[in-house]
Amino acid sequence: MTLEDQEKTSGHFNFWLLQNRITYYSLIAILLLSAIFATGVMLFPAFITSQFVAFIVLIPALACLAVATCHASNLESSRALKEFQDMHNRVIEAEGSQITLDRFFSISSDLMAVAGKDGLLKKVSRSLIKTLGYNEQKLLSTPFVEFIHPDDRESTRKNIESLNMGVRSVGFENRYQTSSGDYRTLSWSAAADMELGVRFASARDITDERNFQIRVQKILDVAPFLLVVKDTTGIITSCNAAFANAIGVDRDLIIARHQDQFKESGLLTSFAREQEVIESQRAVTFDEDIVVRGVQTRYHSTVFPIHDQMGEIASVGKVSLKAGN
């Protein structure tokens, strides 16, 4: 609402109130004059006529009715003015919030979007526009699922269903096609507002990070040593191809499973050895005999701690190399 509209609306309300006040005071004046006239008639009975009686009875009655109506109108106009002022304040607050949101979307380095139930994006940040390479109109007028890699659409649909059930999504990854035809891997954090009927989402472009991880994994897979990484609870989080081949199990079936499921292989270090590394926060090197596909071989092994950004031990890794290599 512009300043001119605000002044015009406020002027209408003030003029209405002024009219009601003038009418109200005029009717009160009529009642007073009627009262004076009635008093004069009672003091001078000679003037009593049917017209005077009609004036004394009807005019005050009509004036009282008009006063009551005018008073009710004043109350209603006051209530309407208060409601208008409340609505006006809410509009100003909403406009201020919209301005703040627009500025936040324009300066944030995160990729942000607001999606509706109809499958269309309602608002996108400049960083998302820059990352995908489309103009804003294209992003807002095209169902966002069309930008998603075909292999990731089903997982995205399931994630949206979870959001609609009130489950917040953190770290969900999918691939979006850019205007040049390649794909960027985005990691999303999202939540749904069922009352507004929208989903708010913020993402990071982790394409380079994922490509780096793939390159590192390829290097590890051609390495001659056995490598396995576990979290502090014993869940295997990573391993190279040599370790998976030594166990004889596909790597995808090893990741995210507990080490106890593979303890018969003899490739995993004992819990006591890992606790020693965790408590000392230092790597431990030792020689051990490991049976790989039925053949016992001497290995030179090292168990080492892996710290997070806070300096706390997040994982424990083990690398084993054949003795004499």
Side-chain angles (χ1 to χ4, degrees):
M1 182 178 292
T2 64
L3 181 60
E4 182 180 354
D5 292 334
Q6 297 173 19
E7 292 177 348
K8 185 182 297 183
T9 304
S10 179
H12 288 325
F13 272 110
N14 291 333
F15 182 69
W16 183 18
L17 289 174
L18 178 61
Q19 284 182 315
N20 281 338
R21 289 194 184 99
I22 292 174
T23 304
Y24 183 72
Y25 293 137
S26 297
L27 291 171
I28 290 178
I30 291 174
L31 285 175
L32 290 176
L33 291 174
S34 298
I36 294 172
F37 181 78
T39 302
V41 169
M42 288 186 292
L43 293 176
F44 305 99
F47 293 100
I48 296 178
T49 64
S50 59
Q51 291 84 1
F52 289 159
V53 172
F55 182 82
I56 293 171
V57 175
L58 294 179
I59 296 302
L62 292 175
C64 288
L65 178 62
V67 168
T69 303
C70 187
H71 180 65
S73 177
N74 279 331
L75 293 177
E76 184 65 21
S77 62
S78 298
R79 185 176 67 84
L81 179 58
K82 183 179 183 302
E83 291 180 353
F84 167 76
Q85 290 173 340
D86 292 340
M87 180 186 68
H88 174 60
N89 292 335
R90 290 196 297 270
V91 169
I92 292 177
E93 182 179 351
E95 289 176 345
S97 300
Q98 183 65 37
I99 292 173
T100 301
L101 181 62
D102 290 340
R103 289 177 178 174
F104 184 68
F105 264 60
S106 66
I107 65 175
S108 176
S109 59
D110 285 344
L111 316 181
M112 298 187 297
V114 178
K117 289 184 177 180
D118 56 1
L120 294 175
L121 297 175
K122 305 303 180 182
K123 192 171 186 61
V124 291
S125 64
R126 288 184 181 177
S127 53
L128 182 59
I129 295 173
K130 182 179 179 180
T131 297
L132 298 182
Y134 303 104
N135 59 46
E136 185 174 13
Q137 182 180 1
K138 174 71 173 179
L139 290 174
L140 298 184
S141 61
T142 306
F144 63 83
V145 69
E146 295 186 12
F147 299 110
I148 299 175
H149 192 288
D151 294 343
D152 295 343
R153 292 180 182 179
E154 180 61 20
S155 61
T156 301
R157 184 187 64 80
K158 292 181 179 179
N159 184 261
I160 292 175
E161 290 179 353
S162 298
L163 288 175
N164 292 337
M165 295 174 61
V167 179
R168 183 176 180 181
S169 176
V170 178
F172 173 75
E173 297 180 12
N174 58 9
R175 289 165 290 178
Y176 272 70
Q177 188 175 36
T178 68
S179 59
S180 60
D182 61 342
Y183 285 90
R184 306 297 295 179
T185 302
L186 307 181
S187 176
W188 295 92
S189 294
D193 189 319
M194 303 309 296
E195 182 178 352
L196 297 177
V198 296
R199 293 179 291 270
F200 299 94
S202 173
R204 292 187 305 111
D205 184 354
I206 59 172
T207 306
D208 295 337
E209 179 182 339
R210 286 291 175 267
N211 289 339
F212 175 76
Q213 291 175 349
I214 291 172
R215 289 193 293 269
V216 170
Q217 187 65 53
K218 288 182 177 179
I219 293 173
L220 294 176
D221 285 342
V222 299
F225 52 76
L226 312 179
L227 173 67
V228 61
V229 177
K230 300 171 290 182
D231 64 18
T232 55
T233 66
I235 300 297
I236 298 174
T237 58
S238 180
C239 69
N240 66 350
F243 181 86
N245 292 334
I247 290 183
V249 179
D250 187 81
R251 180 164 54 199
D252 292 338
L253 300 177
I254 297 176
I255 304 302
R257 299 176 70 177
H258 198 274
Q259 62 176 359
D260 289 346
Q261 299 182 46
F262 307 101
K263 60 182 179 181
E264 294 181 358
S265 67
L267 294 174
L268 295 166
T269 309
S270 66
F271 179 75
R273 181 81 70 176
E274 292 178 356
Q275 282 298 110
E276 178 184 351
V277 171
I278 293 174
E279 292 175 1
S280 66
Q281 299 195 24
R282 295 181 179 179
V284 174
T285 301
F286 53 93
D287 291 330
E288 61 179 340
D289 293 325
I290 298 177
V291 178
V292 178
R293 296 186 179 276
V295 179
Q296 180 173 302
T297 306
R298 192 71 172 175
Y299 275 83
H300 192 64
S301 300
T302 299
V303 178
F304 55 93
I306 302 174
H307 297 82
D308 58 19
Q309 294 180 346
M310 302 299 294
E312 301 292 333
I313 294 181
S315 304
V316 176
K318 178 186 177 182
V319 59
S320 299
L321 183 64
K322 285 184 180 180
N325 284 4

